Amino acid sequence: LKNRPLMNKEIHDLIVSHEKVAHVQLQNPLDHALLVLIKSGYTAIPVLDKDYRVQGQISKTEILDSILGLERLEMERLHDITVEAVMNPKIPRLNTDATFGKALTTSISHPFICIEDEYEAFVGILTRRSILALINRYFK
Amino acid sequence: LKNRPLMNKEIHDLIVSHEKVAHVQLQNPLDHALLVLIKSGYTAIPVLDKDYRVQGQISKTEILDSILGLERLEMERLHDITVEAVMNPKIPRLNTDATFGKALTTSISHPFICIEDEYEAFVGILTRRSILALINRYFK
Ligand SMILES: Nc1ncnc2c1ncn2[C@@H]1O[C@@H]2COP(=O)(O)O[C@H]3[C@@H](O)[C@H](n4cnc5c(N)ncnc54)O[C@@H]3COP(=O)(O)O[C@H]2[C@H]1O
Ligand SMILES: Nc1ncnc2c1ncn2[C@@H]1O[C@@H]2COP(=O)(O)O[C@H]3[C@@H](O)[C@H](n4cnc5c(N)ncnc54)O[C@@H]3COP(=O)(O)O[C@H]2[C@H]1O
């Protein structure tokens, strides 16, 4: 007997609110983005535009790839390249009214999902950790 | 009605076999480890010893932290430091006879889990992705 209510559950109380989410802006230089990534300790973080809309995600991999020269990492170039130029524009998003079932399916291939409201403003992220923790509570 | 069989299920057919797992050895120099990480695209990978036992995990973060000087990343030092000197010795492990329920609980805080046999030899890894995919199939 599969329990439907879990799959239809709202995701509202699972969201990491935007104030707690490390993020960068499109026009930030890469040295700023690298600092935020190193300080936060996160693998990948969202990239927002001036209207607080999600435009993509960035990780240390994209930043290092962009300055990897033949001999060395050309760190001095970090200040002259913007986040927008190297970020990954593919980032999973769901609306605040999405069901838990939809979030579960999306999380299979994505460590975190960006949550937007009906005006497409960034509300926060949903992580695999919070999805796994809820499923664990459901079965125990 | 909670379905017990899922929590008691064996993890055997969920394991990514050791041949397919990118890994490095304790005595490898960091330039080798950085290359394996960049080429594989993975955030963190297991570190094994000569007897094929798991000793820890390593990511780009540990490697870059170790060569971050005042002004720049001192890439030339990468060849002189071993993986053992900078790796994170904390890595979750389970035995091949662990239940799915135990793997689910462990995966809440760890993106992947190392699986060992009864002689502690490395068998492979269990990823959050495979745990989420199985749960998704269970409810759909
Ligand atoms: N400071 C910390 N404290 C406790 N545990 C930590 C931690 N940093 C990482 N972890 C653990 O490691 C997992 C993978 O983190 P990662 O940074 O690769 O991957 C993260 C990161 O890319 C992103 N993320 C999570 N929280 C974030 C935040 N507040 N701001 C920006 N990005 C975040 O979502 C991915 C999945 O996160 P999730 O929580 O499922 O999974 C996290 C969590 O279980
Ligand atoms: N080449 C690729 N093809 C398809 N999807 C990819 C991929 N690389 C990464 N992903 C996706 O991104 C997730 C996070 O990968 P990450 O490298 O941060 O974190 C990975 C990595 O640290 C480790 N891992 C996974 N497979 C590995 C392997 N074959 N060898 C070594 N480490 C592996 O386990 C973590 C969790 O893996 P998981 O599969 O749950 O979750 C993966 C997967 O959903």
Side-chain angles (χ1 to χ4, degrees), chain B residues 119-134:
Chain B
Y119 307 107
E120 288 185 23
F122 182 57
V123 170
I125 62 170
L126 201 59
T127 62
R128 277 179 167 173
R129 181 198 179 97
S130 65
I131 288 171
L132 288 161
L134 181 68

Side-chain angles (χ1 to χ4, degrees), chain A residues 1-2 4 6-7 43 60-61 64 73 75 101 105 107-108 128-129 132 135-136 138-140, chain B residues 1-2 4 6-7 43 60-61 64 73 75 101 105 107-108 128-129 132 135-136 138-140:
Chain A
L1 208 75
K2 307 273 166 78
R4 283 320 291 164
L6 180 68
M7 288 296 117
T43 297
K60 291 187 205 76
T61 304
L64 296 175
L73 282 177
M75 299 293 281
T105 307
S107 75
I108 291 170
R128 277 179 168 173
R129 182 200 178 95
L132 289 161
I135 290 165
N136 191 57
Y138 172 80
F139 280 105
K140 304 284 154 123
Chain B
L1 208 73
K2 303 272 168 78
R4 285 318 293 164
L6 179 66
M7 289 295 115
T43 298
K60 291 188 206 74
T61 305
L64 294 176
L73 283 176
M75 299 292 279
T105 307
S107 76
I108 290 170
R128 277 179 167 173
R129 181 198 179 97
L132 288 161
I135 290 165
N136 191 56
Y138 172 80
F139 279 105
K140 304 281 152 126

Side-chain angles (χ1 to χ4, degrees), chain A residues 89-100:
Chain A
K90 286 206 328 271
I91 183 160
R93 317 142 201 262
L94 288 177
N95 194 285
T96 42
D97 62 6
T99 62
F100 181 77

Side-chain angles (χ1 to χ4, degrees), chain B residues 9-15:
Chain B
K9 196 179 146 57
E10 287 191 356
I11 56 173
H12 187 266
D13 48 358
L14 295 177
I15 299 172

